[in-house]
Structures are given as C-alpha cells and as structure tokens.
C-alpha cells in the first residue's frame, strides 16, 4: 500500500460505508429454450438483446439453444427469457459426448439431447462403472461383426 493510498484512507469522508461496486465479469451463458418457429426465435432474441451488459446473442433454433455473451448473470438471463417470452428456460444441461466418462449410464443419456451431446450429471453411482482401457479397446475392435473378413490377426 502506497503513501497516497494511506493518506486517502485517513481523509476519507464517506463515513466508513463506502460502497464499492463490483464489476461483473464477461461470461458466456448457454440457455435451453424450446423454439418452434422464427417468431419464437425472434421473441427470445429481442428479450435477451434488451438486457444491460449483453454484447452478443446467438440463437440455434434446431438445438433449442441460446448463447449470450456479456457482462450478465446466468440466473438473470434465464429469468428474463422466462418472464418476457413465457417459455420454460433453463441453463444448458448438456455437455459434449466425449467429456462424460459413461455417456450411456442411466440418467446421463438423453433422447432429447442434440446429436453429440449427453446430459451433464455428476452422479455418485456412476463412479463404480469401469472405463475400457486402450488395450481392451484394441482387442475388442480386432474382430468386427460388420466386416468379418477384416480380422487384424490374419
């Protein structure tokens, strides 16, 4: 702490109740919203673009996904979409297929998820499931039911 900082604290006239406004950090918020048509897409986009701190909005109607970049809070984005559009909105619950250790475990695989995505869960019952090692994968893929004449050993 420098001398000027020390002196400014001594002569501070704010009577001990200084309100330091904490600045929000730039973040990306992904929200799942069911959108059927261009009208729904436009309604969701307008609801989010009007928020203070939003710098970019990307809407993927086929995936029912809205990506918001800006100085915003995730909970406020979800609340704004739900209030302004009347649609059910939730934080994006999916992660890429490769990130999850057991993508076909009960509760992880979701038929409604976009292709290449599974539901993001950290369920304690899934930790006991074994993951195949590279050696096991090599042995199991040596013989293929799809192409029996492509045996690696022959």
């Amino acid at each position: 702490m420098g001398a000027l900082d020390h002196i400014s604290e001594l002569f501070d006239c704010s009577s001990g109740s200084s309100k330091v406004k904490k600045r929000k950090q730039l973040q990306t918020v992904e929200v799942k919203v069911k959108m059927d048509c261009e009208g729904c897409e436009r309604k969701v986009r307008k609801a989010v673009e009007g928020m203070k701190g939003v710098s970019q909005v990307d809407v993927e109607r086929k995936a029912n996904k809205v990506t918001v970049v800006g100085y915003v809070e995730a909970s406020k984005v979800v609340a704004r979409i739900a209030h302004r559009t009347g649609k059910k909105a939730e934080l994006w619950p999916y992660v890429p297929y490769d990130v999850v250790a057991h993508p076909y475990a009960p509760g992880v695989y979701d038929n409604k998820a976009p292709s290449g995505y599974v539901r993001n869960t950290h369920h304690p019952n899934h930790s006991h499931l074994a993951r195949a090692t590279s050696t096991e994968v090599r042995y199991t893929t040596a013989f293929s039911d799809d192409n029996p004449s492509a045996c690696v050993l022959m």
Side-chain angles (χ1 to χ4, degrees), residues 84-95:
R84 289 279 177 106
T85 64
K87 296 182 174 294
K88 181 184 172 202
E90 62 178 319
L91 289 176
W92 187 251
Y94 305 117
V95 293

Side-chain angles (χ1 to χ4, degrees), residues 19-48:
K19 292 183 181 178
V20 177
K21 193 170 189 179
K22 190 174 181 182
R23 184 175 176 187
K24 297 175 187 169
Q25 292 193 353
L26 181 70
Q27 63 179 345
T28 303
V29 179
E30 295 177 331
V31 182
K32 178 183 174 186
V33 183
K34 183 154 174 56
M35 295 175 280
D36 299 320
C37 61
E38 290 179 21
C40 297
E41 180 181 343
R42 189 173 30 248
K43 192 182 225 184
V44 169
R45 182 183 298 275
K46 286 181 103 178
V48 177

Side-chain angles (χ1 to χ4, degrees), residues 11-124:
F11 295 107
D12 188 14
C13 297
S14 64
S15 69
S17 63
S18 65
K19 292 183 181 178
V20 177
K21 193 170 189 179
K22 190 174 181 182
R23 184 175 176 187
K24 297 175 187 169
Q25 292 193 353
L26 181 70
Q27 63 179 345
T28 303
V29 179
E30 295 177 331
V31 182
K32 178 183 174 186
V33 183
K34 183 154 174 56
M35 295 175 280
D36 299 320
C37 61
E38 290 179 21
C40 297
E41 180 181 343
R42 189 173 30 248
K43 192 182 225 184
V44 169
R45 182 183 298 275
K46 286 181 103 178
V48 177
E49 282 178 342
M51 288 183 69
K52 184 179 179 183
V54 172
S55 59
Q56 181 182 354
V57 178
D58 293 324
V59 180
E60 298 174 38
R61 188 174 76 213
K62 298 266 186 199
N64 293 324
K65 181 178 181 181
V66 179
T67 305
V68 180
V69 178
Y71 298 97
V72 292
E73 293 179 27
S75 60
K76 289 186 178 181
V77 172
V78 171
R80 173 87 173 227
I81 291 173
H83 177 71
R84 289 279 177 106
T85 64
K87 296 182 174 294
K88 181 184 172 202
E90 62 178 319
L91 289 176
W92 187 251
Y94 305 117
V95 293
Y97 175 84
D98 301 338
V99 175
V100 179
H102 306 287
Y104 291 108
V108 176
Y109 183 74
D110 189 0
N111 290 338
K112 296 178 183 177
S115 61
Y117 287 94
V118 292
R119 190 164 285 281
N120 185 16
T121 59
H122 298 289
H123 202 276

